[in-house]
Each structure stands twice: as C-alpha cells, then as structure tokens.
Amino acid sequence: NNKVALITGAGRAGGLGEAMALRLAAEGCKVVITDIGKARGAQMPATAVGTDEDMSKVASAIRAAGGECTAMALDVLEESQVQAVVEATVARYGGLDILVNNAGIGYLMKPIVEMSVAEFDAVLGVNLRGAFITTKYAAMQMIAQGRGGRIVNIASQAAKSGFPFASAYCSSKHGMVGLTRVSAIELGRHAITVNAICPNHVTTGLGAWQNEY
C-alpha cells in the first residue's frame, strides 16, 4: 500500500505489463507504466509496441478501476530516458519502491542462418541491455532512499531451455537470469531484493502466434 511501482513494457492492452499494473494498483501501489510510445525501425513496428495512445488507454483503465497511474514514454535503450523517467517518477510520487523489467521483444523468431545481426542486436538490446539500464537507475534511487526495494525481472521458460528459431530470445533471457543473480548479490545489502519470474507461454497479443506451434 502506497508503494511506488515502475513497470516497463506495460503499454499494450491485454499484455503482461497491463495485468501486472492492474494488480499492483489494486494492491494500493502508485503505478507508473511505460512503453516506447512509437515505432522504432523495422525491428519495432507500430504493431508490436505500446504507442502513446495505447498507454493512455491502459492508464485510463487502471484509474477507472480505482487505481493511481501515470503513463510515460520510455525507450529502454536510451540511458538518458531511463534516468529521466526514474527522476520524473520520484518527482511525482516521492520515491520508487518497485521496478518490474517487463519490456521485451519476443516476436523476432528466425533460424540462426536467416536472422540478421540487426535483429539479434534488437532483441538483446531491449531484453537484456534495457533491463540492465533500468535496474541501474532504479537501484541508485532505492539505495539513496535507504528503505530497500524490489526489482522483478520477467524472464521466461526460454531462460532455462533452448527452442528452435529463438537464438536471440533465449540468449537474452538466459542473460537476464545472470543479471538477476548478480544484482541480487550486489543489492541485497541495501535491502533490495532482485528476482526473476520465468513464465511459460502466455497468450497475449504479442504471444498468440506461439499457439500455432
């Protein structure tokens, strides 16, 4: 109750991020949802990202349910944007207690021999590098506050197993588990817990295609 939660990749209706935001708000959290806001190149088309309009609708739904929510555009690949969003969250709600690293690319699936370096880099960038950057700035804020905190990384079954056509995705999620372990060791002395959740397939808007396999 009255904790402040920041969730990345939470701007699409019917997505995991929206569901987590709704639950945290229902539990009494002040929630900041973020998503990229607009398309970014061939690897991140408008059909696969949470737009500003999408985020506005998710935030409105949370508020209609009685929760407190703010939407902010955030490209997790841009360190300056991550820093600015953390600062804006603190300015609005007085602190930051919970970070959920949910932003990810799970739709660039191709055989290794067909996947481009640009596609591989896009997946690793959002799924792993983005989680590192957000963890860094959230942890800095939590340490400065001196009251601990919670960081939850949304990994995947693909963090523990290999799947065909998922070289980039599996690599990124395996890496996220490594990042989680190191973060937990480093930040535990500040009363900041860091955990990874490894869900199996969930039929969201972006994940529905997997039902065919």
Side-chain angles (χ1 to χ4, degrees), residues 66-167:
E68 187 165 353
C69 179
T70 299
M72 301 184 190
L74 172 61
D75 183 345
V76 296
L77 294 174
E78 300 294 338
E79 185 173 10
S80 61
Q81 289 189 30
V82 173
Q83 182 177 10
V85 164
V86 169
E87 291 174 351
T89 298
V90 174
R92 183 170 184 84
Y93 291 126
L96 177 61
D97 302 291
I98 301 164
L99 168 68
V100 181
N101 279 314
N102 177 64
I105 294 178
Y107 49 84
L108 292 177
M109 303 290 186
K110 293 182 179 180
I112 290 174
V113 296
E114 296 178 12
M115 176 163 279
S116 69
V117 171
E119 290 168 330
F120 190 92
D121 286 348
V123 176
L124 267 290
V126 174
N127 294 11
L128 185 53
R129 180 171 173 263
F132 159 72
I133 298 172
T134 50
T135 294
K136 173 183 175 179
Y137 283 95
M140 289 169 63
Q141 177 60 35
M142 292 173 184
I143 290 169
Q145 292 170 177
R147 60 176 188 248
R150 303 286 181 264
I151 297 175
V152 181
N153 295 326
I154 308 304
S156 169
Q157 181 188 12
K160 299 187 273 187
S161 303
F163 299 91
F165 315 129
S167 57

Side-chain angles (χ1 to χ4, degrees), residues 4-87:
V4 180
L6 172 63
I7 309 172
T8 67
R12 290 174 60 90
L16 293 179
E18 180 198 37
M20 289 182 276
L22 282 164
R23 179 58 183 268
L24 285 169
E27 294 287 339
C29 279
K30 300 171 183 177
V31 177
V32 175
I33 61 168
T34 70
D35 217 304
I36 193 170
K38 59 183 178 180
R40 176 179 166 147
Q43 285 78 45
M44 302 177 206
T47 55
V49 303
T51 65
D52 290 329
E53 183 180 0
D54 293 331
M55 276 192 288
S56 178
K57 290 179 180 178
V58 171
S60 295
I62 293 171
R63 289 192 288 266
E68 187 165 353
C69 179
T70 299
M72 301 184 190
L74 172 61
D75 183 345
V76 296
L77 294 174
E78 300 294 338
E79 185 173 10
S80 61
Q81 289 189 30
V82 173
Q83 182 177 10
V85 164
V86 169
E87 291 174 351

